[in-house]
Amino acid sequence: MKSRTCKIVAAFLCGIAGCGMMNTAYGENAVFVLDGVTVIGERHKGRDIFKYNEKAEKIPFSYSVIDEKDLKQRGVSSLKDSLNYTAGVVGTITDQALFNNSTIRGFEVDHTNVTLNGMKMFGGNDRRTGYSSGIDTLYSPEMSGLESVTIAKGAESVHHGAASPGGSIDLQLKKAKLFPSTKGEVKFGSKSHNEETFDINRPLNDHSAFRVTAVHRKYDLDIEKSSTERWYVAPTYHWEVKDKMEFDVYAYWQKDYIAGSEEPLKEKIPSMSSHPKEAIFSVPSRLFFGISGKDGMDLENRYIGYQWERPIRGDWRIHQNAGYMKADAVFRKTGVMQIGKQMFLRDYTDTTMKADSFSMDTYIYKEVKHGDVHHHFLAGVDLHRQSWRFRTLEKMLSPWMVSDILKGKMDVGEINDTTKWDDIIRNKNTSWEKAFYVQNVYEKGKVSFNTGFRHTGYTTGEGKKEVFTVANTWQAGVSYDHGKGWHSYANHATSFKPNNGMYTIQNEEVGPTRGVQSEIGLKYESPHTHLHGTLAAFHIEKQNYPVGLRRPQGFYTTVDQMISKGIELELHGEINENLELSFSYTYADRIYKGLKPGIESIYLGGVPKHAVSLWLDTETEDREKARWNGGLGLRFLGERWCDDKIHTLSPVLLADASLRYKKDSHSIRLDVKNLFDTHYCTAVRITNDVPYGFVGDQRQVTLGYSYEW
């Protein structure tokens, strides 16, 4: 980025800081005095990042928190929606039902990098992840059950183990509160959307409380003859004795039904093809290739977890966090493979999968203050185990010719109890991740030093096929307090992700993918008003990245070095008591070195060099206990590469809107995503020389009514 541009961005940040805007919930306890009334509010601290409470401005790298208020204002209904207005985060291959594959700072962040209450659930640590009906789709968060989404930027292996060098996403479940509240809501919308939500919180006494959240949702998917339905029930329990002990239990049951195809909508793009007039480009994008009444998916999740903390001796405290999830899934799917320009081969698979996942994290920490010296030490152990087994029945179906599709004369095929299967496949796998880690903060005067080290062992496989890998990762950072809420910082960190089970043509193990990240930045946290701002410059390297070969299939080669570098600017606050603002700008440039023969695509597509987002939310003054609220969001995605490394996707500007009215305990809201129904693709993949674009969100309108008491 040119020096002049950096100065302009920095001046913009400083100018807004000087306006005295108010920020969202970050940092430590803040006291506000308004016309003789003192209001004490707790801002969100960095516990999700460093496991202990640390001031946001002293954490030496970038992170973003989307709290419950943000989720409500924007009408968020999926993990993808929650990330739309965050600097450096772009959704590339996503669908409406289950799967999420985003990028943070140019690198993919799939379900491996999504944690629940700080604990890993399901993810593909032992293979290259991509869109598949497998273990990566076994966990899909229900946004109505969350109180916050935290996005940590950069290499996070010290805190989360195996991870992308781009960052990680942590989801915090709603906890029970020591005050009563009840809310019921119904929603209706386009695509036959209907939804009912209940959230009941009741204190049992001065020290404990119980809460239940329940959701039912159903709507049509973009592929014809396809729909999804979800049931969700989440009870939680909280108990505390102030300054002595806190104990929380979380649980939920979630059932997802998908009829038809759960895959994201893809369309063929003639303008990027050397033969755009071929008949295959006339095949409808929404065409359902499966068997009605047979294709679909049933997924049941059961989760239970707890957190507790208490003092043990002197200044020492102990904290433990654990979570267990069990998943039962049935995938019934018609797979399609294009052969030449005139034929689609079809095969039907019936897969039954059972999986479970367990994570536990235990650490002790001590905080000491002597004058201008603040010392914080933490040491702990954690483990993650996931196991899955599946059985797949496979049957070849009649192929479809393009000419028959255009005439509407296709032989769908039949699957029933008398079907003779062509193949039966069984497999199972267990992976372990065990680690010891230490973190240390030493603060003297205006300078704060932050270091961390993690030693991790990874085991993947069964019996004699087990593969063991060891990784040492570390992080070091420093921040400086300039006064009046301004802090500058620098950080260096590493990441690690095993590639167990991947081999080169020479039958050699691919080895782990490593990441190295450096970041410098400037943070502002107003000591008097709610204002948070971050300006960061980053440089991230990803080394030894495996890419599957087209021929021979099942083998991999590697990209020696993938580099992402750029700057981010993120602001979140209140311009005045009636207007809130969230603004982000990201410049990211990706460079690839060491491309080897046989690599046709390294998934360049989907990440823009320039991305800008702005959300404005206004609130009128109370008039006879009635209030109007309105939100307008704009998202700009700049030019993006396709994975043929030749074509690009044109820039696109998207708009979202929300209109809300509340009187007494009654509320009505209207939410519109992609307000102008702008057609765009998030990424393009080349398959059999035909470019397929993953279609972005289409316009979605929902009308909701809620009652609180």
Side-chain angles (χ1 to χ4, degrees):
M1 196 70 176
K2 294 182 179 180
S3 175
R4 180 182 177 187
T5 305
C6 291
K7 291 178 180 177
I8 293 173
V9 174
F12 180 61
L13 177 60
C14 296
I16 293 182
C19 292
M21 296 187 305
M22 302 178 71
N23 178 38
T24 189
Y26 282 86
E28 60 179 348
N29 284 353
V31 178
F32 309 103
V33 180
L34 302 173
D35 298 329
V37 179
T38 301
V39 181
I40 300 177
E42 182 175 341
R43 298 177 180 177
H44 192 288
K45 298 181 180 181
R47 178 153 211 149
D48 301 338
I49 306 298
F50 272 138
K51 300 188 179 182
Y52 53 83
N53 288 327
E54 179 63 281
K55 297 177 181 179
E57 63 269 26
K58 291 187 178 181
I59 294 178
F61 54 84
S62 304
Y63 75 95
S64 303
V65 177
I66 300 105
D67 60 20
E68 194 169 358
K69 182 179 179 181
D70 296 323
L71 296 174
K72 290 180 179 178
Q73 284 181 341
R74 302 172 194 173
V76 167
S77 59
S78 67
L79 179 58
K80 168 176 59 67
D81 289 343
S82 72
L83 306 174
N84 282 340
Y85 291 90
T86 303
V89 184
V90 179
T92 53
I93 305 175
T94 58
D95 69 4
Q96 296 174 304
L98 292 176
F99 192 75
N100 177 79
N101 191 325
S102 299
T103 62
I104 299 179
R105 291 183 170 177
F107 293 112
E108 72 280 1
V109 177
D110 50 42
H111 284 193
T112 304
N113 307 104
V114 177
T115 58
L116 183 65
N117 283 5
M119 299 284 94
K120 288 187 175 181
M121 291 299 108
F122 293 111
N125 281 350
D126 59 335
R127 61 187 176 88
R128 188 186 78 81
T129 54
Y131 188 85
S132 62
S133 294
I135 197 165
D136 294 313
T137 59
L138 290 182
Y139 170 58
S140 175
E142 171 51 51
M143 303 307 293
S144 297
L146 302 180
E147 65 179 26
S148 68
V149 178
T150 301
I151 302 98
K153 315 287 183 65
E156 277 297 292
S157 282
V158 169
H159 309 114
H160 298 290
S164 164
S168 60
I169 301 170
D170 182 58
L171 313 174
Q172 289 291 314
L173 290 168
K174 287 180 177 177
K175 66 187 296 184
K177 309 289 185 180
L178 295 176
F179 55 84
S181 64
T182 305
K183 180 179 180 179
E185 184 175 22
V186 293
K187 289 183 179 180
F188 303 93
S190 52
K191 298 183 179 179
S192 302
H193 185 114
N194 65 81
E195 179 177 346
E196 303 85 37
T197 304
F198 297 94
D199 190 350
I200 303 172
N201 186 94
R202 288 290 181 270
L204 302 176
N205 51 48
D206 292 340
H207 303 287
S208 63
F210 181 76
R211 185 174 188 172
V212 176
T213 304
V215 179
H216 172 254
R217 181 186 302 112
K218 187 175 183 180
Y219 55 90
D220 293 337
L221 298 175
D222 291 330
I223 304 295
E224 63 181 16
K225 302 179 183 179
S226 301
S227 62
T228 181
E229 183 176 15
R230 167 172 292 180
W231 293 89
Y232 175 86
V233 179
T236 63
Y237 172 77
H238 173 76
W239 181 83
E240 70 174 52
V241 177
K242 192 173 183 180
D243 298 326
K244 289 187 178 180
M245 184 172 181
E246 284 193 28
F247 180 72
D248 289 280
V249 178
Y250 304 88
Y252 71 73
W253 171 81
Q254 181 174 307
K255 183 78 172 183
D256 288 287
Y257 302 92
I258 296 176
S261 174
E262 87 282 13
E263 291 200 16
L265 180 63
K266 295 184 291 184
E267 67 177 7
K268 294 168 287 297
I269 306 178
S271 61
M272 296 181 184
S273 172
S274 56
H275 304 285
K277 295 183 179 180
E278 291 182 352
I280 193 169
F281 288 94
S282 300
V283 175
S285 302
R286 290 178 170 78
L287 181 66
F288 176 52
F289 280 86
I291 304 174
S292 296
K294 291 294 182 180
D295 280 57
M297 175 180 173
D298 295 335
L299 171 61
E300 183 177 17
N301 277 327
R302 284 152 287 178
Y303 170 85
I304 187 168
Y306 68 84
Q307 295 185 50
W308 65 270
E309 181 175 302
R310 60 163 297 168
I312 49 177
R313 176 179 294 182
D315 296 324
W316 288 95
R317 299 182 69 87
I318 184 171
H319 182 97
Q320 189 173 78
N321 189 8
Y324 174 79
M325 182 181 290
K326 181 176 176 60
D328 294 293
V330 179
F331 305 92
R332 300 173 298 274
K333 181 176 180 179
T334 299
V336 179
M337 178 182 295
Q338 179 187 329
I339 302 297
K341 304 295 183 180
Q342 296 296 325
M343 181 186 293
F344 291 99
L345 291 183
R346 300 164 62 241
D347 72 323
Y348 182 88
T349 57
D350 187 327
T351 300
T352 301
M353 175 178 284
K354 295 183 179 296
D356 64 355
S357 171
F358 174 74
S359 295
M360 176 176 284
D361 183 15
T362 305
Y363 60 84
I364 57 174
Y365 68 97
K366 181 178 183 179
E367 185 173 8
V368 180
K369 293 182 180 180
H370 293 296
D372 64 345
V373 175
H374 175 198
H375 185 70
H376 202 143
F377 176 78
L378 180 149
V381 294
D382 63 28
L383 64 89
H384 170 67
R385 175 193 180 274
Q386 66 179 27
S387 178
W388 52 266
R389 64 185 185 274
F390 71 82
R391 182 207 65 178
T392 297
L393 308 175
E394 188 174 25
K395 175 69 175 179
M396 291 300 299
L397 300 176
S398 56
W400 285 5
M401 302 299 295
V402 172
S403 57
D404 292 333
I405 293 175
L406 298 180
K407 295 176 182 177
K409 299 179 180 179
M410 296 92 73
D411 180 7
V412 174
E414 185 177 0
I415 297 292
N416 52 42
D417 294 337
T418 63
T419 296
K420 295 183 179 180
W421 301 99
D422 297 328
D423 199 4
I424 301 177
I425 304 170
R426 289 182 172 87
N427 203 349
K428 60 181 180 178
N429 190 285
T430 300
S431 65
W432 284 90
E433 183 175 334
K434 305 174 184 179
F436 165 77
Y437 60 86
V438 292
Q439 297 176 14
N440 186 62
V441 175
Y442 180 81
E443 180 182 343
K444 183 174 183 179
K446 296 183 177 182
V447 182
S448 177
F449 298 95
N450 194 302
T451 56
F453 173 80
R454 181 184 181 94
H455 175 79
T456 312
Y458 301 88
T459 304
T460 304
E462 291 284 341
K464 296 181 179 179
K465 296 182 180 180
E466 284 188 348
V467 179
F468 182 70
T469 308
V470 174
N472 294 317
T473 52
W474 60 278
Q475 171 266 326
V478 60
S479 66
Y480 182 81
D481 185 355
H482 297 275
K484 297 183 179 181
W486 291 93
H487 289 73
S488 57
Y489 69 89
N491 183 63
H492 186 82
T494 62
S495 70
F496 181 94
K497 185 175 180 181
N499 294 315
N500 298 347
M502 297 184 185
Y503 295 90
T504 66
I505 299 178
Q506 293 76 26
N507 210 33
E508 298 176 349
E509 286 191 10
V510 169
T513 295
R514 298 186 179 274
V516 180
Q517 171 244 336
S518 298
E519 179 180 344
I520 60 172
L522 183 67
K523 292 186 179 184
Y524 179 75
E525 189 78 40
S526 172
H528 306 295
T529 60
H530 283 283
L531 167 68
H532 174 75
T534 302
L535 174 64
F538 60 88
H539 184 283
I540 306 175
E541 294 184 9
K542 189 173 184 178
Q543 303 164 355
N544 199 50
Y545 175 68
V547 180
L549 294 174
R550 185 174 177 181
R551 296 185 183 87
Q553 289 188 351
F555 291 91
Y556 296 83
T557 186
T558 59
V559 179
D560 290 346
Q561 194 175 34
M562 305 168 69
I563 299 174
S564 178
K565 57 183 180 179
I567 66 168
E568 288 177 354
L569 172 62
E570 191 163 52
L571 301 171
H572 195 121
E574 295 181 4
I575 297 177
N576 54 49
E577 61 182 8
N578 294 324
L579 184 62
E580 295 185 3
L581 170 147
S582 293
F583 173 82
S584 73
Y585 167 73
T586 305
Y587 167 82
D589 187 18
R590 295 202 294 178
I591 303 170
Y592 297 79
K593 297 181 179 180
L595 300 183
K596 295 181 176 65
I599 298 180
E600 296 188 10
S601 167
I602 50 176
Y603 299 104
L604 284 164
V607 179
K609 275 194 174 184
H610 300 275
V612 183
S613 69
L614 172 67
W615 179 272
L616 292 172
D617 206 277
T618 184
E619 183 173 305
T620 63
E621 297 179 357
D622 282 328
R623 290 186 175 88
E624 298 179 357
K625 297 184 179 181
R627 175 171 291 189
W628 284 94
N629 297 69
L632 177 64
L634 298 174
R635 293 179 284 138
F636 172 79
L637 301 176
E639 191 175 68
R640 290 147 289 151
W641 285 103
C642 304
D643 75 344
D644 62 0
K645 304 184 286 288
I646 298 174
H647 296 94
T648 59
L649 290 170
S650 300
V652 61
L653 179 65
L654 305 169
D656 306 309
S658 175
L659 181 63
R660 308 181 294 276
Y661 175 76
K662 182 176 182 179
K663 184 173 183 179
D664 298 324
S665 298
H666 303 270
S667 298
I668 299 175
R669 66 179 299 151
L670 177 67
D671 294 295
V672 185
K673 293 182 173 64
N674 195 353
L675 180 63
F676 302 110
D677 203 18
T678 304
H679 180 273
Y680 70 105
C681 291
T682 60
V684 174
R685 300 288 182 260
I686 310 298
T687 305
N688 296 111
D689 301 320
V690 176
Y692 288 83
F694 290 85
V695 179
D697 290 333
Q698 300 165 75
R699 181 162 55 204
Q700 174 71 24
V701 181
T702 56
L703 178 65
Y705 165 77
S706 63
Y707 181 74
E708 298 181 57
W709 67 96

